[in-house]
Amino acid sequence: MKLIVGLGNPGTKYAGTRHNVGFSVIVGLADKYNIELSEKKHKAIYGRGMIEGEKVILAMPQTFMNLSGESVRELVDYYKCDPSDVIVAYDDIDLAVGKLRIREKGSAGGHNGMKNIISHLGTQEFVRVRVGIGKKPDRMDLADYVLSRFGKDELPEIKAGCDNACDAIALILKDSAAAAMNKYN
């Protein structure tokens, strides 16, 4: 079983913000593969289903971004997943809006949600799908930027990026992270 986690902040106040693109990826996968996101346990909203012949759990931690690892740890323990069976989708300010970067492992790269997941799992050995949200303007506070919404001119790029992230995750499940990296990085 694979655990696919999208990072974001809970509540309507944060819906559609740059920091919530991980949630957008999970909703996109749920829609595409008819997986109902109706279970509320393990500090997450999640659903179970099949993608490319693999049993999956699609999860959106409800702990707020910086404590995402609490939910991921509970899900990994409850469903007896190995950390190597975890795929995390999240935002990246170092990538242009909608661009993807897939990695099989690595550091948190300054992302507090990822720092918390790495801390709770005790490893960096899990796949991550980063979706670009664009560089923050020089005079803007980082927190204000990641909690801002996309401009109208950015909406086509971020939609395409989230769609590509869904396709990349399906390719990871069907083939490998390396195949997804070759196609989308």
Side-chain angles (χ1 to χ4, degrees):
M1 181 174 294
K2 302 290 186 187
L3 172 60
I4 304 167
V5 179
L7 300 188
N9 286 309
T12 55
K13 175 180 175 183
Y14 300 104
T17 62
R18 293 173 190 274
H19 225 16
N20 275 34
V21 296
F23 281 11
S24 297
V25 171
I26 295 300
V27 169
L29 286 167
D31 289 347
K32 187 172 183 175
Y33 293 97
N34 297 312
I35 298 171
E36 196 173 323
L37 297 171
S38 60
E39 297 188 53
K40 294 178 182 174
K41 285 191 262 184
H42 312 296
K43 300 178 183 171
I45 293 173
Y46 67 100
R48 292 173 283 183
M50 299 286 287
I51 298 176
E52 296 296 337
E54 286 275 346
K55 288 182 183 178
V56 298
I57 297 165
L58 301 179
M60 298 184 297
Q62 299 295 293
T63 55
F64 287 93
M65 180 68 76
N66 295 353
L67 300 175
S68 298
E70 294 176 10
S71 174
V72 174
R73 177 83 255 172
E74 284 189 30
L75 287 159
V76 163
D77 289 348
Y78 186 82
Y79 287 102
K80 298 174 179 32
C81 298
D82 191 85
S84 65
D85 291 324
V86 174
I87 300 170
V88 181
Y90 63 101
D91 59 291
D92 189 325
I93 63 167
D94 292 324
L95 295 173
V97 175
K99 298 297 178 201
L100 298 187
R101 184 71 36 85
I102 300 160
R103 293 283 183 258
E104 293 182 271
K105 61 184 178 183
S107 72
H111 193 284
N112 290 330
M114 288 301 294
K115 283 181 192 173
N116 195 257
I117 291 171
I118 291 167
S119 172
H120 277 82
L121 292 182
T123 183
Q124 298 180 5
E125 306 275 329
F126 56 88
V127 175
R128 60 273 328 261
V129 177
R130 298 179 349 226
V131 181
I133 61 168
K135 230 173 194 18
K136 92 172 176 59
D138 288 337
R139 293 196 178 122
M140 192 172 196
D141 178 69
L142 179 60
D144 290 338
Y145 180 70
V146 298
L147 296 178
S148 70
R149 287 178 170 66
F150 293 97
K152 282 185 181 170
D153 58 322
E154 296 173 307
L155 291 175
E157 286 91 359
I158 197 59
K159 183 185 180 331
C162 288
D163 290 346
N164 285 338
C166 291
D167 293 343
I169 290 168
L171 183 57
I172 291 166
L173 296 171
K174 182 179 179 179
D175 191 336
S176 66
M181 289 163 64
N182 285 335
K183 183 169 182 177
Y184 293 98
N185 280 0

mmCIF file of all heavy atoms in Angstrom, residues 47-86:
data_model
loop_
_atom_site.group_PDB
_atom_site.id
_atom_site.type_symbol
_atom_site.label_atom_id
_atom_site.label_comp_id
_atom_site.label_asym_id
_atom_site.label_seq_id
_atom_site.Cartn_x
_atom_site.Cartn_y
_atom_site.Cartn_z
ATOM 1 N N GLY A 47 -8.763 9.057 2.079
ATOM 2 C CA GLY A 47 -9.575 8.043 1.424
ATOM 3 C C GLY A 47 -8.675 6.950 0.884
ATOM 4 O O GLY A 47 -7.480 7.161 0.667
ATOM 5 N N ARG A 48 -9.277 5.782 0.666
ATOM 6 C CA ARG A 48 -8.532 4.630 0.155
ATOM 7 C C ARG A 48 -9.075 4.236 -1.206
ATOM 8 O O ARG A 48 -10.281 4.350 -1.447
ATOM 9 C CB ARG A 48 -8.650 3.457 1.116
ATOM 10 C CG ARG A 48 -7.925 3.706 2.426
ATOM 11 C CD ARG A 48 -8.192 2.636 3.420
ATOM 12 N NE ARG A 48 -9.527 2.868 3.984
ATOM 13 C CZ ARG A 48 -10.068 2.137 4.935
ATOM 14 N NH1 ARG A 48 -9.418 1.120 5.416
ATOM 15 N NH2 ARG A 48 -11.257 2.425 5.394
ATOM 16 N N GLY A 49 -8.194 3.778 -2.068
ATOM 17 C CA GLY A 49 -8.619 3.354 -3.394
ATOM 18 C C GLY A 49 -7.476 2.719 -4.157
ATOM 19 O O GLY A 49 -6.491 2.265 -3.567
ATOM 20 N N MET A 50 -7.629 2.729 -5.492
ATOM 21 C CA MET A 50 -6.627 2.127 -6.377
ATOM 22 C C MET A 50 -6.199 3.152 -7.426
ATOM 23 O O MET A 50 -7.035 3.862 -7.984
ATOM 24 C CB MET A 50 -7.210 0.904 -7.097
ATOM 25 C CG MET A 50 -7.662 -0.228 -6.198
ATOM 26 S SD MET A 50 -6.305 -1.163 -5.490
ATOM 27 C CE MET A 50 -5.736 -2.080 -6.915
ATOM 28 N N ILE A 51 -4.902 3.201 -7.675
ATOM 29 C CA ILE A 51 -4.344 3.991 -8.762
ATOM 30 C C ILE A 51 -3.307 3.121 -9.466
ATOM 31 O O ILE A 51 -2.379 2.617 -8.821
ATOM 32 C CB ILE A 51 -3.680 5.297 -8.259
ATOM 33 C CG1 ILE A 51 -4.706 6.209 -7.583
ATOM 34 C CG2 ILE A 51 -2.993 6.027 -9.423
ATOM 35 C CD1 ILE A 51 -4.116 7.480 -6.975
ATOM 36 N N GLU A 52 -3.493 2.928 -10.762
ATOM 37 C CA GLU A 52 -2.562 2.125 -11.568
ATOM 38 C C GLU A 52 -2.296 0.756 -10.942
ATOM 39 O O GLU A 52 -1.167 0.275 -10.915
ATOM 40 C CB GLU A 52 -1.238 2.881 -11.782
ATOM 41 C CG GLU A 52 -1.386 4.158 -12.577
ATOM 42 C CD GLU A 52 -1.852 3.941 -14.017
ATOM 43 O OE1 GLU A 52 -1.654 2.832 -14.570
ATOM 44 O OE2 GLU A 52 -2.428 4.879 -14.588
ATOM 45 N N GLY A 53 -3.352 0.126 -10.428
ATOM 46 C CA GLY A 53 -3.234 -1.212 -9.865
ATOM 47 C C GLY A 53 -2.630 -1.278 -8.474
ATOM 48 O O GLY A 53 -2.446 -2.366 -7.931
ATOM 49 N N GLU A 54 -2.327 -0.137 -7.889
ATOM 50 C CA GLU A 54 -1.750 -0.081 -6.535
ATOM 51 C C GLU A 54 -2.806 0.373 -5.540
ATOM 52 O O GLU A 54 -3.531 1.337 -5.809
ATOM 53 C CB GLU A 54 -0.595 0.930 -6.480
ATOM 54 C CG GLU A 54 0.675 0.488 -7.137
ATOM 55 C CD GLU A 54 1.550 -0.359 -6.212
ATOM 56 O OE1 GLU A 54 1.321 -0.410 -4.997
ATOM 57 O OE2 GLU A 54 2.485 -0.967 -6.755
ATOM 58 N N LYS A 55 -2.846 -0.274 -4.384
ATOM 59 C CA LYS A 55 -3.683 0.214 -3.291
ATOM 60 C C LYS A 55 -3.045 1.479 -2.755
ATOM 61 O O LYS A 55 -1.829 1.513 -2.516
ATOM 62 C CB LYS A 55 -3.783 -0.815 -2.161
ATOM 63 C CG LYS A 55 -4.622 -2.006 -2.481
ATOM 64 C CD LYS A 55 -4.691 -2.929 -1.286
ATOM 65 C CE LYS A 55 -5.483 -4.167 -1.619
ATOM 66 N NZ LYS A 55 -5.517 -5.109 -0.494
ATOM 67 N N VAL A 56 -3.869 2.523 -2.586
ATOM 68 C CA VAL A 56 -3.336 3.803 -2.102
ATOM 69 C C VAL A 56 -4.223 4.382 -1.013
ATOM 70 O O VAL A 56 -5.416 4.090 -0.924
ATOM 71 C CB VAL A 56 -3.204 4.847 -3.242
ATOM 72 C CG1 VAL A 56 -2.233 4.381 -4.311
ATOM 73 C CG2 VAL A 56 -4.550 5.209 -3.828
ATOM 74 N N ILE A 57 -3.606 5.218 -0.217
ATOM 75 C CA ILE A 57 -4.313 6.103 0.709
ATOM 76 C C ILE A 57 -3.936 7.510 0.270
ATOM 77 O O ILE A 57 -2.752 7.831 0.138
ATOM 78 C CB ILE A 57 -3.870 5.879 2.163
ATOM 79 C CG1 ILE A 57 -4.212 4.469 2.617
ATOM 80 C CG2 ILE A 57 -4.504 6.920 3.091
ATOM 81 C CD1 ILE A 57 -3.509 4.056 3.876
ATOM 82 N N LEU A 58 -4.948 8.325 -0.007
ATOM 83 C CA LEU A 58 -4.730 9.738 -0.314
ATOM 84 C C LEU A 58 -5.042 10.514 0.953
ATOM 85 O O LEU A 58 -6.145 10.382 1.488
ATOM 86 C CB LEU A 58 -5.664 10.199 -1.438
ATOM 87 C CG LEU A 58 -5.561 9.479 -2.777
ATOM 88 C CD1 LEU A 58 -6.573 10.063 -3.762
ATOM 89 C CD2 LEU A 58 -4.154 9.565 -3.335
ATOM 90 N N ALA A 59 -4.106 11.310 1.436
ATOM 91 C CA ALA A 59 -4.285 11.983 2.726
ATOM 92 C C ALA A 59 -3.926 13.455 2.676
ATOM 93 O O ALA A 59 -2.957 13.853 2.017
ATOM 94 C CB ALA A 59 -3.442 11.294 3.801
ATOM 95 N N MET A 60 -4.718 14.233 3.417
ATOM 96 C CA MET A 60 -4.460 15.659 3.627
ATOM 97 C C MET A 60 -4.400 15.894 5.133
ATOM 98 O O MET A 60 -5.433 15.943 5.803
ATOM 99 C CB MET A 60 -5.577 16.502 2.999
ATOM 100 C CG MET A 60 -5.694 16.332 1.497
ATOM 101 S SD MET A 60 -6.946 17.401 0.731
ATOM 102 C CE MET A 60 -8.454 16.822 1.488
ATOM 103 N N PRO A 61 -3.190 16.005 5.698
ATOM 104 C CA PRO A 61 -3.074 16.248 7.141
ATOM 105 C C PRO A 61 -3.833 17.513 7.549
ATOM 106 O O PRO A 61 -3.810 18.508 6.831
ATOM 107 C CB PRO A 61 -1.570 16.419 7.356
ATOM 108 C CG PRO A 61 -0.945 15.643 6.233
ATOM 109 C CD PRO A 61 -1.874 15.865 5.064
ATOM 110 N N GLN A 62 -4.475 17.454 8.696
ATOM 111 C CA GLN A 62 -5.267 18.579 9.193
ATOM 112 C C GLN A 62 -4.614 19.231 10.407
ATOM 113 O O GLN A 62 -5.268 19.894 11.200
ATOM 114 C CB GLN A 62 -6.680 18.095 9.536
ATOM 115 C CG GLN A 62 -7.431 17.515 8.356
ATOM 116 C CD GLN A 62 -7.702 18.545 7.281
ATOM 117 O OE1 GLN A 62 -8.468 19.472 7.487
ATOM 118 N NE2 GLN A 62 -7.061 18.388 6.122
ATOM 119 N N THR A 63 -3.310 19.075 10.532
ATOM 120 C CA THR A 63 -2.562 19.558 11.693
ATOM 121 C C THR A 63 -1.977 20.942 11.493
ATOM 122 O O THR A 63 -1.297 21.444 12.374
ATOM 123 C CB THR A 63 -1.377 18.614 11.967
ATOM 124 O OG1 THR A 63 -0.611 18.515 10.756
ATOM 125 C CG2 THR A 63 -1.831 17.250 12.414
ATOM 126 N N PHE A 64 -2.186 21.540 10.349
ATOM 127 C CA PHE A 64 -1.471 22.715 9.868
ATOM 128 C C PHE A 64 -0.100 22.260 9.389
ATOM 129 O O PHE A 64 0.458 21.277 9.868
ATOM 130 C CB PHE A 64 -1.396 23.861 10.890
ATOM 131 C CG PHE A 64 -2.712 24.561 11.057
ATOM 132 C CD1 PHE A 64 -3.597 24.162 12.047
ATOM 133 C CD2 PHE A 64 -3.099 25.569 10.187
ATOM 134 C CE1 PHE A 64 -4.834 24.777 12.182
ATOM 135 C CE2 PHE A 64 -4.325 26.190 10.312
ATOM 136 C CZ PHE A 64 -5.200 25.786 11.312
ATOM 137 N N MET A 65 0.395 22.970 8.410
ATOM 138 C CA MET A 65 1.593 22.578 7.665
ATOM 139 C C MET A 65 2.754 22.139 8.543
ATOM 140 O O MET A 65 3.334 21.079 8.335
ATOM 141 C CB MET A 65 2.021 23.763 6.786
ATOM 142 C CG MET A 65 3.252 23.507 5.958
ATOM 143 S SD MET A 65 2.993 22.297 4.669
ATOM 144 C CE MET A 65 2.088 23.293 3.484
ATOM 145 N N ASN A 66 3.114 22.939 9.528
ATOM 146 C CA ASN A 66 4.351 22.709 10.277
ATOM 147 C C ASN A 66 4.308 21.490 11.189
ATOM 148 O O ASN A 66 5.326 21.109 11.756
ATOM 149 C CB ASN A 66 4.720 23.951 11.083
ATOM 150 C CG ASN A 66 5.051 25.122 10.180
ATOM 151 O OD1 ASN A 66 5.135 24.987 8.960
ATOM 152 N ND2 ASN A 66 5.234 26.287 10.775
ATOM 153 N N LEU A 67 3.138 20.862 11.335
ATOM 154 C CA LEU A 67 3.004 19.655 12.163
ATOM 155 C C LEU A 67 2.539 18.457 11.330
ATOM 156 O O LEU A 67 2.043 17.473 11.874
ATOM 157 C CB LEU A 67 2.027 19.916 13.314
ATOM 158 C CG LEU A 67 2.426 21.036 14.273
ATOM 159 C CD1 LEU A 67 1.332 21.281 15.303
ATOM 160 C CD2 LEU A 67 3.750 20.730 14.963
ATOM 161 N N SER A 68 2.723 18.516 10.023
ATOM 162 C CA SER A 68 2.249 17.460 9.116
ATOM 163 C C SER A 68 2.780 16.084 9.475
ATOM 164 O O SER A 68 2.115 15.072 9.260
ATOM 165 C CB SER A 68 2.643 17.791 7.669
ATOM 166 O OG SER A 68 2.043 18.986 7.244
ATOM 167 N N GLY A 69 3.976 16.024 10.027
ATOM 168 C CA GLY A 69 4.588 14.743 10.375
ATOM 169 C C GLY A 69 3.791 13.943 11.387
ATOM 170 O O GLY A 69 3.835 12.711 11.385
ATOM 171 N N GLU A 70 3.049 14.631 12.267
ATOM 172 C CA GLU A 70 2.230 13.910 13.257
ATOM 173 C C GLU A 70 1.214 13.019 12.558
ATOM 174 O O GLU A 70 1.038 11.855 12.908
ATOM 175 C CB GLU A 70 1.505 14.907 14.167
ATOM 176 C CG GLU A 70 2.413 15.713 15.058
ATOM 177 C CD GLU A 70 1.667 16.753 15.875
ATOM 178 O OE1 GLU A 70 0.413 16.739 15.897
ATOM 179 O OE2 GLU A 70 2.340 17.583 16.514
ATOM 180 N N SER A 71 0.533 13.567 11.568
ATOM 181 C CA SER A 71 -0.470 12.824 10.821
ATOM 182 C C SER A 71 0.174 11.718 9.981
ATOM 183 O O SER A 71 -0.304 10.577 9.969
ATOM 184 C CB SER A 71 -1.257 13.779 9.917
ATOM 185 O OG SER A 71 -2.131 13.070 9.082
ATOM 186 N N VAL A 72 1.258 12.049 9.290
ATOM 187 C CA VAL A 72 1.928 11.062 8.440
ATOM 188 C C VAL A 72 2.409 9.885 9.281
ATOM 189 O O VAL A 72 2.214 8.722 8.907
ATOM 190 C CB VAL A 72 3.097 11.714 7.661
ATOM 191 C CG1 VAL A 72 3.896 10.664 6.897
ATOM 192 C CG2 VAL A 72 2.564 12.787 6.707
ATOM 193 N N ARG A 73 2.977 10.154 10.442
ATOM 194 C CA ARG A 73 3.455 9.083 11.323
ATOM 195 C C ARG A 73 2.298 8.173 11.745
ATOM 196 O O ARG A 73 2.416 6.947 11.727
ATOM 197 C CB ARG A 73 4.122 9.692 12.559
ATOM 198 C CG ARG A 73 4.610 8.674 13.590
ATOM 199 C CD ARG A 73 5.958 8.127 13.215
ATOM 200 N NE ARG A 73 5.857 6.782 12.702
ATOM 201 C CZ ARG A 73 6.874 6.118 12.162
ATOM 202 N NH1 ARG A 73 8.058 6.656 12.038
ATOM 203 N NH2 ARG A 73 6.717 4.895 11.720
ATOM 204 N N GLU A 74 1.157 8.781 12.147
ATOM 205 C CA GLU A 74 -0.003 7.986 12.557
ATOM 206 C C GLU A 74 -0.496 7.106 11.416
ATOM 207 O O GLU A 74 -0.831 5.934 11.616
ATOM 208 C CB GLU A 74 -1.138 8.888 13.052
ATOM 209 C CG GLU A 74 -0.902 9.438 14.439
ATOM 210 C CD GLU A 74 -2.123 10.144 15.008
ATOM 211 O OE1 GLU A 74 -3.265 9.776 14.658
ATOM 212 O OE2 GLU A 74 -1.937 11.072 15.826
ATOM 213 N N LEU A 75 -0.570 7.657 10.204
ATOM 214 C CA LEU A 75 -1.031 6.878 9.053
ATOM 215 C C LEU A 75 -0.062 5.747 8.712
ATOM 216 O O LEU A 75 -0.487 4.617 8.459
ATOM 217 C CB LEU A 75 -1.226 7.792 7.839
ATOM 218 C CG LEU A 75 -2.450 8.703 7.908
ATOM 219 C CD1 LEU A 75 -2.304 9.892 6.962
ATOM 220 C CD2 LEU A 75 -3.726 7.919 7.604
ATOM 221 N N VAL A 76 1.234 6.034 8.732
ATOM 222 C CA VAL A 76 2.248 5.013 8.456
ATOM 223 C C VAL A 76 2.148 3.884 9.478
ATOM 224 O O VAL A 76 2.163 2.696 9.121
ATOM 225 C CB VAL A 76 3.669 5.646 8.447
ATOM 226 C CG1 VAL A 76 4.752 4.590 8.582
ATOM 227 C CG2 VAL A 76 3.866 6.464 7.180
ATOM 228 N N ASP A 77 2.004 4.230 10.757
ATOM 229 C CA ASP A 77 1.908 3.210 11.802
ATOM 230 C C ASP A 77 0.627 2.402 11.685
ATOM 231 O O ASP A 77 0.648 1.170 11.762
ATOM 232 C CB ASP A 77 1.980 3.859 13.197
ATOM 233 C CG ASP A 77 3.364 4.395 13.524
ATOM 234 O OD1 ASP A 77 4.336 4.081 12.799
ATOM 235 O OD2 ASP A 77 3.476 5.149 14.510
ATOM 236 N N TYR A 78 -0.503 3.072 11.498
ATOM 237 C CA TYR A 78 -1.796 2.386 11.457
ATOM 238 C C TYR A 78 -1.886 1.441 10.261
ATOM 239 O O TYR A 78 -2.356 0.310 10.382
ATOM 240 C CB TYR A 78 -2.939 3.397 11.430
ATOM 241 C CG TYR A 78 -4.295 2.746 11.523
ATOM 242 C CD1 TYR A 78 -4.810 2.374 12.764
ATOM 243 C CD2 TYR A 78 -5.051 2.477 10.392
ATOM 244 C CE1 TYR A 78 -6.048 1.762 12.873
ATOM 245 C CE2 TYR A 78 -6.291 1.863 10.484
ATOM 246 C CZ TYR A 78 -6.784 1.506 11.725
ATOM 247 O OH TYR A 78 -8.007 0.887 11.818
ATOM 248 N N TYR A 79 -1.444 1.898 9.103
ATOM 249 C CA TYR A 79 -1.553 1.076 7.892
ATOM 250 C C TYR A 79 -0.303 0.246 7.624
ATOM 251 O O TYR A 79 -0.208 -0.427 6.600
ATOM 252 C CB TYR A 79 -1.897 1.961 6.684
ATOM 253 C CG TYR A 79 -3.339 2.415 6.752
ATOM 254 C CD1 TYR A 79 -3.663 3.689 7.169
ATOM 255 C CD2 TYR A 79 -4.375 1.541 6.436
ATOM 256 C CE1 TYR A 79 -4.986 4.101 7.256
ATOM 257 C CE2 TYR A 79 -5.702 1.939 6.518
ATOM 258 C CZ TYR A 79 -5.991 3.218 6.930
ATOM 259 O OH TYR A 79 -7.305 3.613 7.025
ATOM 260 N N LYS A 80 0.642 0.286 8.555
ATOM 261 C CA LYS A 80 1.864 -0.509 8.471
ATOM 262 C C LYS A 80 2.593 -0.318 7.143
ATOM 263 O O LYS A 80 3.042 -1.269 6.501
ATOM 264 C CB LYS A 80 1.565 -1.987 8.733
ATOM 265 C CG LYS A 80 1.020 -2.228 10.127
ATOM 266 C CD LYS A 80 0.603 -3.659 10.332
ATOM 267 C CE LYS A 80 0.068 -3.978 11.691
ATOM 268 N NZ LYS A 80 -0.646 -3.016 12.442
ATOM 269 N N CYS A 81 2.678 0.953 6.733
ATOM 270 C CA CYS A 81 3.432 1.313 5.523
ATOM 271 C C CYS A 81 4.898 1.507 5.899
ATOM 272 O O CYS A 81 5.202 1.939 7.001
ATOM 273 C CB CYS A 81 2.942 2.637 4.940
ATOM 274 S SG CYS A 81 1.233 2.671 4.410
ATOM 275 N N ASP A 82 5.756 1.220 4.980
ATOM 276 C CA ASP A 82 7.159 1.564 5.152
ATOM 277 C C ASP A 82 7.325 3.021 4.709
ATOM 278 O O ASP A 82 6.649 3.440 3.767
ATOM 279 C CB ASP A 82 8.014 0.643 4.279
ATOM 280 C CG ASP A 82 9.477 0.765 4.603
ATOM 281 O OD1 ASP A 82 9.939 0.098 5.534
ATOM 282 O OD2 ASP A 82 10.153 1.566 3.918
ATOM 283 N N PRO A 83 8.189 3.793 5.361
ATOM 284 C CA PRO A 83 8.392 5.163 4.892
ATOM 285 C C PRO A 83 8.732 5.254 3.397
ATOM 286 O O PRO A 83 8.397 6.229 2.735
ATOM 287 C CB PRO A 83 9.537 5.680 5.765
ATOM 288 C CG PRO A 83 9.358 4.929 7.048
ATOM 289 C CD PRO A 83 8.917 3.540 6.619
ATOM 290 N N SER A 84 9.360 4.218 2.854
ATOM 291 C CA SER A 84 9.684 4.227 1.420
ATOM 292 C C SER A 84 8.433 4.121 0.547
ATOM 293 O O SER A 84 8.496 4.331 -0.664
ATOM 294 C CB SER A 84 10.661 3.098 1.083
ATOM 295 O OG SER A 84 10.050 1.837 1.304
ATOM 296 N N ASP A 85 7.279 3.808 1.156
ATOM 297 C CA ASP A 85 6.005 3.743 0.432
ATOM 298 C C ASP A 85 5.234 5.060 0.502
ATOM 299 O O ASP A 85 4.074 5.131 0.113
ATOM 300 C CB ASP A 85 5.129 2.623 0.994
ATOM 301 C CG ASP A 85 5.692 1.241 0.687
ATOM 302 O OD1 ASP A 85 6.266 1.071 -0.405
ATOM 303 O OD2 ASP A 85 5.566 0.344 1.533
ATOM 304 N N VAL A 86 5.873 6.108 1.017
ATOM 305 C CA VAL A 86 5.238 7.412 1.162
ATOM 306 C C VAL A 86 5.643 8.306 -0.012
ATOM 307 O O VAL A 86 6.810 8.337 -0.408
ATOM 308 C CB VAL A 86 5.645 8.073 2.504
ATOM 309 C CG1 VAL A 86 5.101 9.491 2.611
ATOM 310 C CG2 VAL A 86 5.173 7.221 3.684
#
